Amino acid sequence: MNRVIFHVDMNAFFASVEQKSNPLLRGKPILVVADARRRSVVMTSSYEARAFGVATGMNLYEARQFCPEALVVEGDSAKYMAATAKIMEVLETVTDRFEMTSCDEAYLDVTGSLKCFGTDARGLAERVKARIRGVTGLPCSVGVAPNKLLAKLGSDMHKPDGLTVIDSENVEDVMARTPAQDLCGIGRKLKVRLQELGIRTCKELGDADIGKLCHYFGFWAYHLKRMGQGRDDSPVRRPGEEADERSMGHSTTFPEDTSDMDVLRSYLLFLSEKVASRMRKRGLEGRSVSLVIRYKDFTTFSHERRGRAFTDDGFEIYQAALRILRSVELEQPVRLLGVTVSSLVPARWEEFLFEAMGRKKKVNRAADGINRKFGRSTVKPAGQILAERHGLLEPPIPPALAALRVYR
Ligand SMILES: [Mg+2]
């Protein structure tokens, strides 16, 4: 059955909220930052500022080079949360199948709603836009399509205040003229690789020889080709259903079995950090930590412990895993250890970049950035070194990345 999916994307969300709440800011270039006193980063700028070349992610100094007259506003998470809550109330009246992917973006599956509203997809999208505008005073862009991938592409096409319908009538046209890097999930590095293969548009990606793609991207090639064809089966998840990954874990088999608690602890730290950095990458936090222990004779034992709070911090995960390890009387030398975090939820975005972001989060964020730039384990806890001396094998990495690594 053909689905009808909306992607609703608020335009310059934080800046629009500020302009809405303070008439003096309307029609002016403004920069929303976490803290105006420091060299902080532009979180959002108004369209008036963007016209000067200001972009999200620039620091205040850079942004002012482009637009010296820009007004600087310190972000106010409470205000944005209130606006998000109002938007969600509107979306709830349209369908029970909507998925907030951040504070200012949502997917809606309105396949079953069209009949109730007695309108076609475009008509309903216009109503959604008008209601959001009516309740919050804020503009948004909506993409209408048979799946999430194309709906997202559509909402990006006309900003601000746009409405784009992609359907069987125009999808081929759209894919032929849209650059492949506009597809959600294709980043800068991938774009370069695709260009090296002579692939520029979505259509060229969809038509590409699968053998050639496999050579460069491993099994990821199939996913890429499907994206280029505009295909996507992923469901819009109801609130509470969003646990795409219910758990995330890493395990490692030791080069030689060991009962040495110091070595085991060091491995545990390594595994916990790996899981944590992957969770942060996916924007997830979890509360339950389980430890898998496999003995020399392959008997395997697993125990779970539910933490007090959700976390994406490696050391906190390690502490929980260590408590489990300490509660176990090791019967034999250990062959494998695994750490898994479950009860995953999207990280609490209201803390995003604001004063509520604790020191620990800032340190993790900085370490992630360094490791991304200079390679895995450039920065790591000192406690991991013992595991490395013990002969820690090549750290496990997600298969998709492994494929890219092999074929680079
Ligand atoms: Mg947005």
Side-chain angles (χ1 to χ4, degrees):
M1 201 185 84
N2 277 338
R3 295 184 297 160
V4 182
I5 310 294
F6 290 178
H7 183 249
V8 176
D9 187 2
M10 303 307 296
N11 304 125
F13 184 54
F14 299 158
S16 300
V17 171
E18 296 297 344
Q19 288 179 319
K20 174 71 189 154
S21 74
N22 182 353
L24 294 174
L25 300 176
R26 288 183 204 159
K28 305 228 168 79
I30 70 167
L31 312 173
V32 180
V33 297
D35 184 342
R37 282 164 303 179
R38 292 184 224 139
R39 277 177 67 95
S40 77
V41 166
V42 175
M43 298 165 61
T44 310
S45 53
S46 65
Y47 280 89
E48 293 83 358
R50 292 179 196 190
F52 287 89
V54 173
T56 298
M58 284 180 178
N59 66 43
L60 209 43
Y61 176 79
E62 285 172 303
R64 279 193 159 132
Q65 306 281 310
F66 284 94
C67 184
E69 64 268 49
L71 301 167
V72 176
V73 180
E74 282 191 16
D76 176 352
S77 48
K79 234 191 266 178
Y80 311 143
M81 283 167 70
T84 299
K86 283 187 193 165
I87 294 163
M88 287 175 73
E89 277 172 31
V90 172
L91 301 183
E92 256 170 9
T93 66
V94 180
T95 176
D96 66 340
R97 193 160 273 284
F98 74 93
E99 176 183 350
M100 296 296 295
T101 48
S102 73
C103 59
D104 74 330
E105 275 184 39
Y107 290 100
L108 283 73
D109 188 332
V110 300
T111 314
S113 313
L114 294 177
K115 227 182 216 171
C116 309
F117 287 88
T119 175
D120 64 354
R122 178 182 286 275
L124 185 56
E126 274 163 2
R127 250 188 249 186
V128 169
K129 276 167 61 78
R131 276 196 199 169
I132 290 176
R133 173 83 83 163
V135 171
T136 64
L138 303 173
C140 64
S141 290
V142 178
V144 179
N147 61 47
K148 289 164 85 174
L149 182 78
L150 293 174
K152 168 112 173 124
L153 210 55
S155 69
D156 269 343
M157 280 178 172
H158 297 106
K159 287 179 175 177
D161 202 25
L163 171 54
T164 307
V165 180
I166 301 176
D167 56 19
S168 54
E169 305 265 292
N170 64 356
V171 64
E172 271 183 43
D173 227 44
V174 168
M175 299 314 263
R177 62 183 156 82
T178 304
Q181 75 261 22
D182 286 4
L183 290 167
C184 182
I186 297 194
R188 231 183 311 154
K189 275 188 192 159
L190 204 48
K191 172 188 152 186
V192 172
R193 298 293 292 132
L194 289 173
Q195 278 177 349
E196 283 166 10
L197 291 168
I199 294 169
R200 279 161 210 283
T201 65
C202 298
K203 183 174 167 18
E204 284 167 357
L205 178 58
D207 291 345
D209 178 63
I210 188 67
K212 195 164 124 188
L213 287 180
C214 280
H215 178 72
Y216 284 94
F217 302 113
F219 75 82
W220 227 53
Y222 293 91
H223 183 64
L224 286 172
K225 190 173 166 79
R226 279 173 57 81
M227 285 171 74
Q229 292 169 337
R231 285 158 60 191
D232 174 22
D233 299 327
S234 63
V236 175
R237 293 167 203 283
R238 289 192 175 93
E241 230 178 39
E242 55 268 76
D244 199 358
E245 293 110 332
R246 297 227 164 83
S247 65
M248 214 171 247
H250 264 307
S251 62
T252 190
T253 306
F254 306 145
E256 53 182 289
D257 304 341
T258 180
S259 313
D260 184 337
M261 263 310 268
D262 288 339
V263 171
L264 291 175
R265 277 208 329 244
S266 184
Y267 271 103
L268 216 49
L269 182 59
F270 160 75
L271 292 166
S272 305
E273 289 290 340
K274 282 292 156 196
V275 174
S277 83
R278 257 177 73 203
M279 287 167 63
R280 292 194 295 269
K281 209 163 152 192
R282 304 298 299 261
L284 297 167
E285 293 182 340
R287 188 153 77 160
S288 298
V289 175
S290 60
L291 176 68
V292 177
I293 300 171
R294 179 166 296 161
Y295 290 121
K296 199 175 174 194
D297 68 358
F298 283 87
T299 47
T300 306
F301 152 96
S302 164
H303 187 75
E304 190 176 275
R305 205 184 161 99
R306 170 165 273 226
R308 255 165 281 142
F310 287 92
T311 183
D312 61 4
D313 177 67
F315 195 68
E316 283 181 27
I317 295 169
Y318 162 76
Q319 285 173 315
L322 184 60
R323 254 177 255 130
I324 300 173
L325 182 63
R326 284 204 172 122
S327 69
V328 179
E329 283 270 354
L330 291 179
E331 299 158 14
Q332 305 172 38
V334 178
R335 172 183 174 78
L336 167 149
L337 273 187
V339 173
T340 299
V341 179
S342 53
S343 313
L344 297 185
V345 295
R348 284 155 298 167
W349 49 262
E350 68 264 31
E351 289 180 7
F352 182 65
L353 280 179
F354 288 96
E355 62 287 351
M357 189 161 102
R359 189 166 166 270
K360 211 181 257 176
K361 279 195 190 295
K362 287 182 187 162
V363 169
N364 284 335
R365 205 172 245 270
D368 288 347
I370 292 167
N371 288 336
R372 241 191 330 272
K373 193 159 177 187
F374 298 104
R376 289 171 290 147
S377 299
T378 303
V379 181
K380 62 198 161 197
Q384 227 171 270
I385 286 170
L386 191 56
E388 286 172 14
R389 288 218 188 105
H390 180 257
L392 175 67
L393 297 169
E394 173 75 354
I397 54 174
L401 289 180
L404 288 175
R405 201 166 275 277
V406 168
Y407 292 109
R408 185 157 292 152

